[in-house]
Amino acid sequence: MDESDPAGAVRRIHEVVEAARAGTAEQDSLLTALTGLRLLREELAGWEPELITAARAAGASWVVLAPALGVASRQAAERRYLRLQPSDTGEKTGEARVDAERDRRAGDRAVADWARRNSAILRQLAGRVSALDGLGPAAQESADRLGAALGDDDPASLLPPLAAARPHLTDAHAGLAEQLGAISEQTAQLRRDAAGNRRSRD
Protein backbone atom coordinates (compact mmCIF):
# COMPACT_ATOMS: atom_id res chain seq x y z
CA MET A 1 0.00 0.00 0.00
CA ASP A 2 1.14 3.53 -0.75
CA GLU A 3 1.23 5.09 2.73
CA SER A 4 1.08 8.57 1.20
CA ASP A 5 -2.26 7.80 -0.50
CA PRO A 6 -4.55 5.76 1.76
CA ALA A 7 -7.61 7.17 -0.01
CA GLY A 8 -6.28 5.78 -3.32
CA ALA A 9 -5.65 2.42 -1.63
CA VAL A 10 -9.25 2.31 -0.41
CA ARG A 11 -10.50 3.17 -3.88
CA ARG A 12 -8.44 0.39 -5.51
CA ILE A 13 -9.55 -2.16 -2.91
CA HIS A 14 -13.16 -1.12 -3.41
CA GLU A 15 -12.83 -1.64 -7.18
CA VAL A 16 -11.65 -5.20 -6.55
CA VAL A 17 -14.55 -5.75 -4.12
CA GLU A 18 -16.98 -4.60 -6.83
CA ALA A 19 -15.33 -6.93 -9.34
CA ALA A 20 -15.57 -9.81 -6.84
CA ARG A 21 -19.27 -9.13 -6.39
CA ALA A 22 -19.70 -9.18 -10.13
CA GLY A 23 -17.72 -12.40 -10.40
CA THR A 24 -15.04 -10.86 -12.63
CA ALA A 25 -12.13 -10.46 -10.19
CA GLU A 26 -8.93 -12.36 -10.93
CA GLN A 27 -6.94 -14.20 -8.28
CA ASP A 28 -3.94 -11.86 -8.44
CA SER A 29 -6.07 -8.77 -7.98
CA LEU A 30 -7.92 -10.38 -5.05
CA LEU A 31 -4.66 -11.29 -3.32
CA THR A 32 -3.27 -7.82 -3.94
CA ALA A 33 -6.44 -6.28 -2.53
CA LEU A 34 -6.29 -8.50 0.57
CA THR A 35 -2.67 -7.52 1.17
CA GLY A 36 -3.54 -3.86 0.71
CA LEU A 37 -6.50 -4.22 3.08
CA ARG A 38 -4.30 -5.72 5.80
CA LEU A 39 -1.74 -2.93 5.47
CA LEU A 40 -4.47 -0.30 5.47
CA ARG A 41 -6.04 -1.81 8.57
CA GLU A 42 -2.67 -1.69 10.37
CA GLU A 43 -2.14 1.93 9.38
CA LEU A 44 -5.63 2.98 10.46
CA ALA A 45 -5.16 1.19 13.79
CA GLY A 46 -2.11 3.36 14.40
CA TRP A 47 -4.02 6.53 13.67
CA GLU A 48 -6.60 6.06 16.43
CA PRO A 49 -4.32 6.36 19.49
CA GLU A 50 -2.45 9.17 17.75
CA LEU A 51 -5.67 11.12 17.24
CA ILE A 52 -6.85 10.40 20.79
CA THR A 53 -3.55 11.68 22.17
CA ALA A 54 -3.85 14.84 20.07
CA ALA A 55 -7.47 15.36 21.16
CA ARG A 56 -6.48 14.99 24.83
CA ALA A 57 -3.63 17.47 24.32
CA ALA A 58 -6.16 19.86 22.75
CA GLY A 59 -8.29 19.65 25.90
CA ALA A 60 -10.88 16.99 25.03
CA SER A 61 -12.09 15.09 28.10
CA TRP A 62 -12.72 11.35 28.13
CA VAL A 63 -16.44 12.15 28.44
CA VAL A 64 -16.33 14.09 25.16
CA LEU A 65 -14.20 11.43 23.46
CA ALA A 66 -16.45 8.51 24.43
CA PRO A 67 -19.14 8.99 21.73
CA ALA A 68 -16.50 9.66 19.07
CA LEU A 69 -14.92 6.30 19.95
CA GLY A 70 -18.27 4.54 19.97
CA VAL A 71 -18.23 3.71 23.68
CA ALA A 72 -20.66 4.61 26.43
CA SER A 73 -18.54 6.03 29.22
CA ARG A 74 -15.44 7.94 30.19
CA GLN A 75 -13.93 4.77 31.66
CA ALA A 76 -14.57 2.80 28.47
CA ALA A 77 -12.95 5.52 26.36
CA GLU A 78 -9.82 5.53 28.48
CA ARG A 79 -9.74 1.73 28.52
CA ARG A 80 -9.94 1.64 24.71
CA TYR A 81 -7.06 4.10 24.45
CA LEU A 82 -4.88 2.08 26.83
CA ARG A 83 -5.61 -1.11 24.89
CA LEU A 84 -4.41 0.55 21.69
CA GLN A 85 -1.26 2.05 23.18
CA PRO A 86 2.04 0.21 22.75
CA SER A 87 3.43 -1.05 26.04
CA ASP A 88 6.58 0.40 27.59
CA THR A 89 6.72 -2.32 30.23
CA GLY A 90 6.22 -5.53 28.24
CA GLU A 91 2.48 -6.22 28.58
CA LYS A 92 1.38 -8.21 25.54
CA THR A 93 -2.38 -7.61 25.61
CA GLY A 94 -4.54 -4.53 25.75
CA GLU A 95 -6.18 -5.70 28.97
CA ALA A 96 -2.77 -6.20 30.57
CA ARG A 97 -1.83 -2.65 29.57
CA VAL A 98 -5.03 -1.33 31.20
CA ASP A 99 -4.23 -3.24 34.40
CA ALA A 100 -0.61 -2.06 34.38
CA GLU A 101 -1.62 1.57 33.96
CA ARG A 102 -4.19 1.34 36.75
CA ASP A 103 -1.64 -0.35 39.00
CA ARG A 104 0.83 2.45 38.24
CA ARG A 105 -1.73 5.15 39.08
CA ALA A 106 -2.76 3.41 42.30
CA GLY A 107 0.90 3.13 43.24
CA ASP A 108 1.54 6.78 42.43
CA ARG A 109 -1.35 7.84 44.67
CA ALA A 110 -0.17 5.65 47.54
CA VAL A 111 3.41 6.90 47.28
CA ALA A 112 2.30 10.54 47.01
CA ASP A 113 0.14 10.16 50.15
CA TRP A 114 3.02 8.54 52.03
CA ALA A 115 5.44 11.27 50.87
CA ARG A 116 3.10 13.99 52.15
CA ARG A 117 2.84 12.28 55.53
CA ASN A 118 6.64 11.93 55.70
CA SER A 119 7.53 15.24 54.09
CA ALA A 120 9.74 16.43 56.97
CA ILE A 121 11.85 13.26 56.90
CA LEU A 122 12.25 13.34 53.12
CA ARG A 123 13.24 16.99 53.12
CA GLN A 124 15.73 16.43 55.92
CA LEU A 125 17.39 13.56 54.05
CA ALA A 126 17.43 15.52 50.80
CA GLY A 127 19.03 18.46 52.61
CA ARG A 128 21.72 16.21 54.10
CA VAL A 129 22.59 14.64 50.76
CA SER A 130 22.61 17.94 48.86
CA ALA A 131 24.93 19.44 51.51
CA LEU A 132 27.60 16.70 51.32
CA ASP A 133 31.12 17.85 50.48
CA GLY A 134 33.86 16.18 48.45
CA LEU A 135 31.55 14.30 46.09
CA GLY A 136 32.65 13.07 42.68
CA PRO A 137 31.13 14.64 39.53
CA ALA A 138 28.29 12.10 39.17
CA ALA A 139 27.48 12.23 42.87
CA GLN A 140 27.57 16.03 42.86
CA GLU A 141 25.20 16.15 39.90
CA SER A 142 22.81 13.86 41.77
CA ALA A 143 23.09 16.04 44.91
CA ASP A 144 22.41 19.16 42.85
CA ARG A 145 19.22 17.59 41.46
CA LEU A 146 18.13 16.90 45.02
CA GLY A 147 18.80 20.49 45.99
CA ALA A 148 16.65 21.69 43.11
CA ALA A 149 13.86 19.25 44.05
CA LEU A 150 13.78 20.70 47.57
CA GLY A 151 12.17 23.79 46.05
CA ASP A 152 9.20 21.75 44.82
CA ASP A 153 6.02 21.89 46.93
CA ASP A 154 5.32 18.19 46.29
CA PRO A 155 7.53 16.03 48.56
CA ALA A 156 7.01 13.05 46.21
CA SER A 157 9.27 14.84 43.72
CA LEU A 158 12.16 14.15 46.12
CA LEU A 159 11.84 10.38 45.80
CA PRO A 160 13.44 9.84 42.35
CA PRO A 161 16.53 11.97 43.04
CA LEU A 162 16.90 10.42 46.50
CA ALA A 163 16.89 6.94 44.93
CA ALA A 164 19.31 8.09 42.23
CA ALA A 165 21.69 9.53 44.83
CA ARG A 166 22.05 6.33 46.83
CA PRO A 167 24.52 4.48 44.52
CA HIS A 168 26.82 7.52 44.58
CA LEU A 169 27.25 7.60 48.35
CA THR A 170 30.59 6.24 49.54
CA ASP A 171 31.34 4.09 52.57
CA ALA A 172 31.75 7.31 54.54
CA HIS A 173 28.03 7.87 54.10
CA ALA A 174 26.89 4.25 54.52
CA GLY A 175 24.28 5.14 57.12
CA LEU A 176 22.71 7.73 54.86
CA ALA A 177 22.75 5.30 51.94
CA GLU A 178 20.99 2.73 54.14
CA GLN A 179 18.25 5.21 54.97
CA LEU A 180 17.75 5.98 51.29
CA GLY A 181 17.57 2.27 50.54
CA ALA A 182 14.90 1.82 53.20
CA ILE A 183 12.83 4.57 51.58
CA SER A 184 13.12 2.92 48.16
CA GLU A 185 12.01 -0.40 49.64
CA GLN A 186 9.11 1.31 51.42
CA THR A 187 7.84 3.00 48.27
CA ALA A 188 8.20 -0.21 46.26
CA GLN A 189 6.13 -2.05 48.86
CA LEU A 190 3.51 0.71 48.81
CA ARG A 191 3.19 0.27 45.04
CA ARG A 192 2.81 -3.50 45.36
CA ASP A 193 0.20 -3.13 48.12
CA ALA A 194 -1.73 -0.50 46.18
CA ALA A 195 -1.83 -2.70 43.08
CA GLY A 196 -2.95 -5.70 45.13
CA ASN A 197 -5.68 -3.69 46.85
CA ARG A 198 -6.91 -2.32 43.54
CA ARG A 199 -7.11 -5.75 41.96
CA SER A 200 -8.95 -7.17 44.99
CA ARG A 201 -11.63 -4.48 44.60
CA ASP A 202 -12.15 -5.08 40.86
Side-chain angles (χ1 to χ4, degrees):
M1 185 190 72
D2 181 0
E3 294 184 2
S4 65
D5 185 22
V10 171
R11 185 171 59 254
R12 288 188 293 274
I13 292 168
H14 186 257
E15 288 170 356
V16 177
V17 170
E18 291 295 320
R21 289 172 178 169
T24 60
E26 297 180 357
Q27 177 178 309
D28 287 348
S29 65
L30 290 166
L31 293 174
T32 299
L34 284 168
T35 300
L37 186 60
R38 174 177 57 79
L39 295 173
L40 184 62
R41 188 185 304 118
E42 290 171 359
E43 184 171 359
L44 292 174
W47 289 358
E48 186 172 354
E50 187 176 346
L51 289 171
I52 294 171
T53 299
R56 291 284 294 159
S61 68
W62 291 115
V63 172
V64 171
L65 278 165
L69 298 177
V71 296
S73 68
R74 165 183 74 77
Q75 292 88 346
E78 187 173 9
R79 179 181 287 266
R80 179 174 178 80
Y81 175 63
L82 292 172
R83 283 178 178 155
L84 294 170
Q85 282 290 83
S87 172
D88 293 330
T89 50
E91 293 79 23
K92 297 186 181 301
T93 67
E95 199 60 39
R97 286 194 291 275
V98 171
D99 279 340
E101 177 64 15
R102 290 183 173 176
D103 286 349
R104 184 191 65 77
R105 291 179 184 176
D108 285 349
R109 288 191 296 271
V111 168
D113 288 344
W114 179 86
R116 281 191 289 272
R117 293 194 305 272
N118 294 274
S119 174
I121 295 171
L122 294 175
R123 291 188 183 282
Q124 181 189 41
L125 285 171
R128 288 174 60 192
V129 174
S130 63
L132 291 174
D133 292 324
L135 299 176
Q140 187 60 57
E141 183 180 347
S142 182
D144 291 344
R145 282 198 297 271
L146 258 177
L150 275 167
D152 196 315
D153 290 338
D154 183 4
S157 67
L158 294 169
L159 293 170
L162 280 170
R166 182 189 175 198
H168 299 297
L169 298 181
T170 65
D171 290 343
H173 309 293
L176 189 53
E178 186 176 343
Q179 287 180 280
L180 299 187
I183 286 174
S184 293
E185 291 173 10
Q186 175 69 33
T187 55
Q189 186 62 52
L190 285 167
R191 289 184 181 281
R192 289 191 293 270
D193 290 346
N197 292 337
R198 183 197 70 76
R199 289 169 185 260
S200 69
R201 290 193 300 269
D202 286 353

